[in-house]
Amino acid sequence: MDDQASRPASLGALLATLPRHLSERASLVAAGEPPAGAAFVVYWAHHALRTDENPALDLACALAESRGLPLLVYSGLAGAHPYLSDRHATFVLEGLRDFAGQLAALGIPFAVNLDVASRPDAGIDRIASRAYAIVTEDFPAAPYADWTASIARRTKRAVIAVDTACVVPMNRVDGVFDRAYAFREATERERAARVPLPWPARSERGQPGRAGAGVLPCGVVRHWSNPLRTPSESSSPSGPPRRSGSGLGPCGVEMQRSAVSSTKS
């Protein structure tokens, strides 16, 4: 592992060196410092459950590669909010299943917290103790902005929010709009210029020695036992998760089926 992975660094300066299509979408929520011997970069995915045209995933990959660290993707389905019904849970779980398959094809470990008694952001606390930084999606609607700020306060880690939803990045829009037509008129020219542009292929994202849209840097792709488990619970310190006897599903997903079946509509 590169020594620079364990040293504090100016994330603001690092973000400025990223390709424009990533840096213009990133906001530094908190500039916390990494722990000594940081083990990985975490991407907390909650809406952009996709590997194609996902600026947050691409930025997390770039950050992990620059630090010489592997990448871990984390997501969660929890019940501490008023909108969790059987229909909502099914929709999210189907998305997580597809996302897990896409990440598995890239060799990226994926951990999921299915404890419906907790907040969706709660499972990240244990992971954050070994994380260099946390990358997540910039989703300004409640309650995600509060959850992101809470993670930064609780974990003391650097947190980077990335706009994964807007054609014209939120960071590039000045002013406040209280009418849809006013926003549309203010962004119409830039949106029209951006819509036909292809999203840059991975071989164009500053990942040296790796060509092809389906290939990630070797430093990003590394397997370990499920990080949601304590060391005493893990059956082995390294290697791909085992599917039998470990409570783990494919690609490092922690399966808690009883939690899913207990949701109420």
Side-chain angles (χ1 to χ4, degrees):
M1 184 178 300
D2 195 324
D3 288 342
Q4 71 175 345
S6 62
R7 296 200 303 266
S10 170
L11 278 178
L14 181 62
L15 294 178
T17 67
L18 294 173
R20 179 174 176 269
H21 70 283
L22 299 179
S23 62
E24 69 179 357
R25 294 178 174 274
S27 299
L28 190 59
V29 177
E33 294 188 352
F40 43 73
V41 170
V42 174
Y43 166 34
W44 172 35
H46 46 73
H47 281 81
L49 303 182
R50 63 183 189 271
T51 58
D52 291 333
E53 300 191 16
N54 184 337
L57 177 61
D58 290 350
L59 188 147
C61 286
L63 178 59
E65 179 70 358
S66 72
R67 301 291 91 185
L69 292 170
L71 172 66
L72 170 69
V73 178
Y74 166 83
S75 194
L77 173 69
H81 62 83
Y83 308 110
L84 187 65
S85 63
D86 286 347
R87 180 173 57 186
H88 177 81
T90 299
F91 176 78
V92 173
L93 289 171
E94 288 175 346
L96 290 172
R97 177 194 60 195
D98 294 344
F99 192 37
Q102 295 168 13
L103 291 170
L106 295 174
I108 299 178
F110 185 35
V112 174
N113 178 21
L114 299 181
D115 180 6
V116 296
S118 67
R119 289 164 46 123
D121 61 334
I124 204 169
D125 287 15
R126 186 184 296 178
I127 294 174
S129 66
R130 292 182 286 158
Y132 175 84
I134 300 168
V135 177
T136 191
E137 293 139 25
D138 192 349
F139 197 82
Y144 288 93
D146 289 341
W147 284 347
T148 300
S150 176
I151 286 174
R153 289 192 301 270
R154 296 196 316 267
T155 66
K156 311 301 182 184
R157 294 290 173 263
V159 178
I160 303 164
V162 185
D163 180 358
T164 60
C166 301
V167 174
V168 179
M170 288 182 280
N171 292 342
R172 291 185 57 82
V173 179
D174 295 324
V176 177
F177 303 92
D178 58 0
R179 296 291 188 273
Y181 73 85
F183 173 80
R184 183 173 59 249
E185 291 176 355
T187 59
E188 183 175 9
R189 179 175 299 179
E190 186 166 359
R191 181 180 182 277
R194 286 173 176 264
V195 165
L197 298 177
W199 189 252
R202 286 196 172 89
S203 58
E204 300 170 7
R205 294 177 192 164
Q207 299 175 358
R210 295 292 181 270
V215 179
L216 291 174
C218 59
V220 172
V221 179
R222 192 178 304 168
H223 293 277
W224 46 69
S225 57
N226 193 331
L228 290 178
R229 299 176 148 219
T230 63
S232 62
E233 294 172 322
S234 299
S235 57
S236 61
S238 61
R242 294 185 297 178
R243 296 189 62 177
S244 60
S246 65
L248 302 180
C251 205
V253 180
E254 179 164 325
M255 303 303 293
Q256 300 177 11
R257 301 181 190 280
S258 60
V260 179
S261 63
S262 67
T263 55
K264 303 295 183 182
S265 56

